Amino acid sequence: MSADPAVVAALRVAGCVFAEDEARLIAAAARTPEQTAAMVARRSAGEPLEHVVGFAEFAGLRIGVGPGVFVPRRRTEFLARQAAALLPARGAVVLDLCCGSGAVGAFLAASAEGVELHAADVDPAAVACARGNVAAAGGKVHQGDLFAPLPAALRGRVDVLAANVPYVPSGAIGLLPAEARDHEARVALDGGADGLDVLRRVAAEARGWLAAGGSLLSETSQEQAPLALAALRAGGLAAREVTDEEMGATVVIGTRPA
Ligand SMILES: C[S@@+](CC[C@H](N)C(=O)[O-])C[C@H]1O[C@@H](n2cnc3c(N)ncnc32)[C@H](O)[C@@H]1O
C-alpha cells in the first residue's frame, strides 16, 4: 500500500519520525477518507500508532490492541522466546499473568503443540483485548487481581508462568515518553516505590501454581535484577537472570525444583 503524501506530510509536522511507514499502516487500516483523517488526527495528537490502527506486531504475530491497553514492546519478545524455550513439546500448561493484550500468551500458544493457555489481568480493557487475541489461540482469559480469578484446578500444573508485570518505579512514571504516560493505564506501568511490588507478590505465590520443574519468567530493568532474583528465591524458586543487550532486555527466571 502506497503512502499518501498529504498524510506523510501531516505526520511529519506532528513529529512522527517514521511518517512514511506510519502513513502506509494507516492507509491499510482505514476504510474511508474520514477514517484516515480521524486516525491522522489521533496520531498527530500523540496517541500510540498501535492504538490508532488497532494492532501491534509482536514476534511475528499481529496482536489487537485497544485504547488504553499496554502496547506489547519489542523488548518483551525476548521474554516470550525464553519462555517458549521452556515449553514441553506437547500439552504444556501456560499462564500469562498480567497479560495486557495477551501477546505473550498468544505467542506461547503458537510455539508448541496442544498448549493449554490461561491469561489474566486486572484491567477490564486489557481483558477485553486479550479475549480477542487469546481466544484465537484457544485460551481462556480471567479478570482479577493476580492469581485470584484463576481456577483452583490450575494449582501445581503450570509449566510456564509468564508475568510481564508493571515494573516502572512510581517516581519514574513522569519520565516515560508521553505515549506511555498519557495513553497506557497507570496500573500497567506503576510497579511501586522500587518497581518490584507486583513482582514480589507474584513471586510469593508462584510456587503453588507451578508444576514441578515449571518456571516463572518476568521482565525487569538491569538495575532491578538482583532484587528481583532475591524475590524469586524468597518464593522458593531457583533463580537466574538472562539478558539480551541488543534488545535492552533483562528477564529473571525462577524454577520450581523438580
Ligand atoms: C507491563 S503491562 C504488560 C502486559 C503484557 N503482559 C505485555 O507484555 O504486553 C502489565 C499488565 O499488568 C496488569 N496488572 C497490573 N497489576 C495487576 C494485578 N494486580 N493483577 C493483574 N493484572 C495486573 C496491567 O493491567 C497490565 O495489563
Side-chain angles (χ1 to χ4, degrees):
M1 178 109 24
S2 63
D4 177 339
V7 171
V8 174
L11 294 173
R12 277 226 176 89
V13 168
C16 300
V17 178
F18 302 106
E20 295 227 351
D21 296 339
E22 296 201 5
R24 264 188 221 104
L25 285 166
I26 287 174
R31 278 188 228 103
T32 62
E34 291 74 24
Q35 281 185 358
T36 302
M39 287 185 185
V40 172
R42 287 171 62 192
R43 181 64 184 135
S44 299
E47 223 178 301
L49 178 68
E50 293 84 352
H51 287 168
V52 171
V53 297
F55 69 90
E57 299 283 347
F58 183 80
L61 299 179
R62 179 175 280 215
I63 300 292
V65 187
V69 176
F70 186 86
V71 175
R73 309 295 202 255
R74 278 290 151 94
R75 175 195 314 127
T76 304
E77 293 180 9
F78 180 62
L79 180 153
R81 293 191 201 288
Q82 291 292 321
L86 296 174
L87 290 174
R90 299 196 132 265
V93 178
V94 169
L95 173 56
D96 181 1
L97 200 63
C98 294
C99 65
S101 64
V104 174
F107 175 76
L108 292 175
S111 298
E113 291 293 318
V115 169
E116 176 185 332
L117 171 63
H118 294 264
D121 201 285
V122 76
D123 177 6
V127 168
C129 183
R131 286 213 164 105
N133 294 314
V134 163
K140 291 201 181 80
V141 186
H142 313 271
Q143 185 182 332
D145 181 42
L146 297 185
F147 299 93
L150 298 172
L154 204 54
R155 289 189 76 87
R157 293 184 54 233
V158 176
D159 296 302
V160 168
L161 197 178
N164 188 22
V165 303
Y167 62 87
V168 180
S170 304
I173 296 284
L175 306 175
L176 291 175
E179 281 189 24
R181 219 175 47 224
D182 298 341
H183 297 281
E184 291 175 327
R186 176 112 189 178
V187 71
L189 304 169
D190 193 340
D194 67 355
L196 295 171
D197 284 2
V198 185
L199 178 58
R200 284 196 188 88
R201 291 182 57 213
V202 171
E205 277 198 67
R207 190 182 162 115
W209 294 87
L210 289 171
S215 295
L216 159 68
L217 298 95
S218 206
E219 190 177 291
T220 68
S221 70
Q222 182 72 66
E223 297 71 37
Q224 289 167 329
L227 286 175
L229 291 169
L232 299 190
R233 290 186 185 114
L237 305 174
R240 65 193 167 94
E241 170 191 345
V242 286
T243 56
D244 183 316
E245 281 178 22
E246 214 169 287
M247 294 183 99
T250 299
V251 170
V252 290
I253 304 178
T255 301
R256 180 180 158 188

